[in-house]
Amino acid sequence: MVDSEVAGRLQQVRNNIKAATLRRPQGSGGPEVRLLAVCKTQPVERILAAYKAGQRHFGGNYVQELEERGFDPEIRKQCPDIRWHLIGHLQSNKVNRLTRIPGLHMVETVDSRRIATALNASYQKVRGSNDDRLQVMVQVNTSAEEQKSGCDPAEASGLVRHIHEQCPCLEAVGLMTIGQYDYDVSRGPNPDMLRLLECRREVASALGVAERGLELSMGMTADYEHAIELGSTHVRVGEAIFGKRDAAKMAFYESQQ
């Protein structure tokens, strides 16, 4: 029952992604949209069901939870090529725990040079080589809300340059934003998403790279289709695939932050 329910929800999200991609302005192109299944507080059986249905990229907000999932014996046995993404705020005292997680693929929330430097040093100790780089995104606080993490848009180019030049074990692949919650798209394009597009242009110009070479992680369950229409290459969808989150578990993990 769980397998078919999750597989059905997952297929619907994939269909929506495909349809939204076709609604992009002609010529906007860009890479294929990656779906990140956000499994925050979800039971292991639902992760296994999504994996069986072909999903490989999974995201979580808490380092402790990713540790539990990354080292879970059933997940390790049944999901050999699962790829974990951290999409929550990363504190410096959790960096060493994070880099040891099996299957860690990307950290989407690098928001300062200090965190980037610490992540680079820790990953180098764990992996012992610069050949296997950890993919990262720079989180940008496009809504300028104090309670949200992320660097100021004006600082994004400098942070990406720092990663390129000073963090040989990291690969800066793009920019990420959370943006304003519950934005009403009937009012027009989401201004936070437009700001991230503008930020990408600024970063690409400053570093002398192609805009399309930088991924954009924006859009969640409530607005991922709108995000894709605006140019997102990477969407983070949880409840539309797995159903409601466990509020008690969320409170527990938040207390451990």
Side-chain angles (χ1 to χ4, degrees), residues 22-110:
L22 294 175
R23 292 195 296 270
R24 284 176 169 174
Q26 188 174 5
S28 62
E32 182 178 350
V33 177
R34 173 189 289 162
L35 170 61
L36 180 65
V38 180
C39 54
K40 180 167 60 174
T41 77
Q42 297 294 338
V44 169
E45 63 179 353
R46 290 187 173 271
I47 297 172
L48 297 178
Y51 186 92
K52 290 176 185 176
Q55 182 65 27
R56 293 296 179 267
H57 292 267
F58 292 80
N61 288 62
Y62 313 111
V63 172
Q64 180 175 341
E65 186 178 31
L66 282 188
E67 277 184 312
E68 294 169 3
R69 301 300 171 72
F71 286 102
D72 183 89
E74 283 303 309
I75 291 178
R76 297 194 71 179
K77 178 183 177 181
Q78 298 188 41
C79 311
D81 59 344
I82 197 167
R83 298 176 180 178
W84 295 110
H85 296 232
L86 179 71
I87 60 172
H89 180 61
L90 177 60
Q91 297 172 314
S92 56
N93 63 352
K94 301 283 178 62
V95 167
N96 290 335
R97 292 170 59 181
L98 176 66
T99 56
R100 290 179 171 83
I101 296 173
L104 180 66
H105 180 74
M106 184 184 293
V107 178
E108 299 193 19
T109 51
V110 174

Side-chain angles (χ1 to χ4, degrees), residues 120-138:
N120 179 75
S122 180
Y123 197 76
Q124 187 170 43
K125 288 179 182 178
V126 172
R127 310 293 168 166
S129 170
N130 293 348
D131 296 332
D132 177 27
R133 293 191 292 170
L134 175 64
Q135 293 190 2
V136 300
M137 287 189 173
V138 166

Side-chain angles (χ1 to χ4, degrees), residues 40-41 62 239 244-254:
K40 180 167 60 174
T41 77
Y62 313 111
E239 291 190 356
K244 293 292 183 181
R245 297 168 182 152
D246 186 320
K249 285 186 179 179
M250 285 181 61
F252 170 76
Y253 288 123
E254 288 286 353

Side-chain angles (χ1 to χ4, degrees), residues 59-209:
N61 288 62
Y62 313 111
V63 172
Q64 180 175 341
E65 186 178 31
L66 282 188
E67 277 184 312
E68 294 169 3
R69 301 300 171 72
F71 286 102
D72 183 89
E74 283 303 309
I75 291 178
R76 297 194 71 179
K77 178 183 177 181
Q78 298 188 41
C79 311
D81 59 344
I82 197 167
R83 298 176 180 178
W84 295 110
H85 296 232
L86 179 71
I87 60 172
H89 180 61
L90 177 60
Q91 297 172 314
S92 56
N93 63 352
K94 301 283 178 62
V95 167
N96 290 335
R97 292 170 59 181
L98 176 66
T99 56
R100 290 179 171 83
I101 296 173
L104 180 66
H105 180 74
M106 184 184 293
V107 178
E108 299 193 19
T109 51
V110 174
D111 59 5
S112 70
R113 299 187 185 200
R114 178 175 59 85
I115 285 294
T117 300
L119 196 56
N120 179 75
S122 180
Y123 197 76
Q124 187 170 43
K125 288 179 182 178
V126 172
R127 310 293 168 166
S129 170
N130 293 348
D131 296 332
D132 177 27
R133 293 191 292 170
L134 175 64
Q135 293 190 2
V136 300
M137 287 189 173
V138 166
Q139 182 178 2
V140 183
N141 187 349
T142 52
S143 57
E145 296 174 83
E146 291 185 5
Q147 71 272 27
K148 286 196 172 75
S149 301
C151 70
D152 185 273
E155 299 171 351
S157 295
L159 180 49
V160 174
R161 186 183 299 279
H162 172 79
I163 295 169
H164 279 314
E165 296 178 354
Q166 303 298 327
C167 302
C169 292
L170 306 183
E171 180 184 6
V173 298
L175 307 173
M176 175 267 212
T177 192
I178 295 174
Q180 178 185 338
Y181 293 120
D182 300 324
Y183 176 77
D184 181 1
V185 297
S186 68
R187 296 160 52 192
N190 187 314
D192 291 317
M193 295 180 184
L194 295 180
R195 184 65 187 95
L196 197 68
L197 286 164
E198 181 183 352
C199 192
R200 180 173 68 170
R201 286 191 290 271
E202 294 167 355
V203 171
S205 176
L207 273 65
V209 299

